[in-house]
Amino acid sequence: MRDFTEESLTKAVLQALDRTPDKRLQQIMTSLIAHVHAFAREVELTEGEWFQGIKFLTEVGHKCDEFRQEFILLSDTLGISMLVDHITHRAPAGATETTVLGPFYRDGAPALETGSNIAQKTPGDPTFVSGRVTGLDGKRVAGALLDVWQAGPNGFYEGQHPSVPEWNLRGKFRTDAEGRYAFRTVKPASYPIPMDGPVGRMITALGRPFYRPGHIHFIFSAKGYERLCTHIFVAGDPCLDSDPVFVVKSPLIADFVRHDSIDEAKARGTTAPFYAVEYNFVLKPAA
Ligand SMILES: [Fe+2]
């Protein structure tokens, strides 16, 4: 193997994969190399541009820590995360649509009683979220685990900014015997994706919008059902049609209904105005 030319090099690299024992790995690497080589040829990539790309990916890696996942943000903003989501979850009609995990999930949120407030130390519009979890057959799913997280009205998740105390705006809940869930929070607002890193510089260089529409994240786990990772979005949010991570699906847009009644607010242990959203989730049976 020597004397490769611009024309013969790709074939030689692909042949080097001939003895890969894992056939799926071989398939993935063959396709990846073929496409990246084709890309370099198509744009006539210069050495300077290639090194700029390597420097960029290095910075993306250096920006990652326990609270910040710049590689997920890169994948999300390039639409790769949602493409993989679409390929992986071709939902049968009736099941709740899936979305990406996003860069701000943190495992280990506290288990809370039904109705608890995940935003105890975060000021904002009081918001009551509730609904029912069922299977595709309409059967109520009792004891399903919901892992919930969201940004505060100032756009920051817990772990991202000192204004959000530890584990605030995160919580784990269980559905009751009727498959119902309920928790209290503050109304999520649209927020900018983190713009202080290499992905932010990329977004700026491309002149792209960087505000995500307000949303709440959910992961549902229940015995006998496929894990569901999704969002619900605030209806009327001005950024619904310009999500920089391409996640918005119309069925996931929920009405956060405003209530101005002082008596009703008192009965709920809060102040007016408050918001209430009812959203039902439908799980797919486990494969
Ligand atoms: Fe989010």
Side-chain angles (χ1 to χ4, degrees):
M1 296 228 298
R2 61 172 68 171
D3 299 326
F4 300 115
T5 62
E6 191 180 326
E7 287 71 35
S8 67
L9 188 75
T10 303
K11 204 174 160 201
V13 179
L14 294 177
Q15 269 172 1
L17 304 179
D18 274 355
R19 285 190 293 271
T20 308
D22 181 334
K23 291 303 153 200
R24 177 63 175 161
L25 176 64
Q26 185 182 42
Q27 182 192 12
I28 289 171
M29 290 306 295
T30 299
S31 179
L32 179 71
I33 290 164
H35 281 91
V36 175
H37 281 225
F39 149 75
R41 280 197 181 87
E42 185 182 313
V43 301
E44 302 222 330
L45 201 65
T46 67
E47 281 183 337
E49 288 159 348
W50 182 236
F51 278 114
Q52 202 181 331
I54 286 173
K55 198 168 155 250
F56 172 76
L57 290 175
T58 305
E59 285 173 40
V60 170
H62 285 163
K63 197 75 188 167
C64 295
D65 59 28
E66 189 195 344
F67 296 105
R68 178 77 177 255
Q69 233 304 352
E70 196 78 353
F71 264 112
I72 291 184
L73 187 63
L74 178 61
S75 166
D76 290 357
T77 51
L78 295 182
I80 301 167
S81 305
M82 274 311 288
L83 179 59
V84 173
D85 177 77
H86 280 288
I87 292 167
T88 309
H89 304 283
R90 292 178 178 125
T96 300
E97 298 275 356
T98 56
T99 64
V100 295
L101 184 69
F104 300 113
Y105 176 68
R106 201 177 159 214
D107 193 16
L112 301 172
E113 292 293 318
T114 296
S116 298
N117 189 355
I118 61 170
Q120 284 188 22
K121 296 172 189 159
T122 306
D125 294 326
T127 299
F128 295 86
V129 188
S130 61
R132 181 163 275 165
V133 182
T134 60
L136 270 177
D137 54 5
K139 234 171 95 181
R140 296 155 188 176
V141 184
L145 181 70
L146 296 69
D147 201 341
V148 177
W149 71 106
Q150 69 167 86
N154 63 0
F156 291 115
Y157 284 85
E158 180 265 348
Q160 220 189 345
H161 195 264
S163 67
V164 189
E166 196 173 25
W167 295 118
N168 232 232
L169 301 173
R170 300 180 191 272
K172 283 182 179 166
F173 297 89
R174 291 257 178 209
T175 54
D176 67 13
E178 298 294 305
R180 292 201 64 87
Y181 73 91
F183 63 93
R184 189 179 150 179
T185 184
V186 288
K187 193 172 173 228
S190 45
Y191 66 80
I193 58 168
M195 293 294 286
D196 60 341
V199 173
R201 288 206 317 274
M202 176 191 80
I203 293 289
T204 302
L206 298 173
R208 285 177 45 181
F210 51 88
Y211 267 80
R212 294 214 63 209
H215 57 268
I216 303 174
H217 294 265
F218 295 82
I219 296 174
F220 291 86
S221 325
K223 208 173 160 230
Y225 295 92
E226 206 171 90
R227 175 179 172 274
L228 169 68
C229 179
T230 194
H231 295 44
I232 60 170
F233 294 93
V234 180
D237 190 293
C239 302
L240 282 171
D241 289 312
S242 55
D243 187 3
V245 294
F246 311 98
V247 173
V248 180
K249 295 173 173 178
S250 295
L252 298 176
I253 299 172
D255 280 325
F256 284 61
V257 181
R258 183 181 158 127
H259 295 265
D260 289 297
S261 156
I262 293 166
D263 291 342
E264 220 180 309
K266 255 190 201 156
R268 290 209 189 219
T270 189
T271 50
F274 68 92
Y275 291 81
V277 54
E278 173 90 8
Y279 195 91
N280 298 328
F281 294 87
V282 182
L283 306 183
K284 268 163 82 169

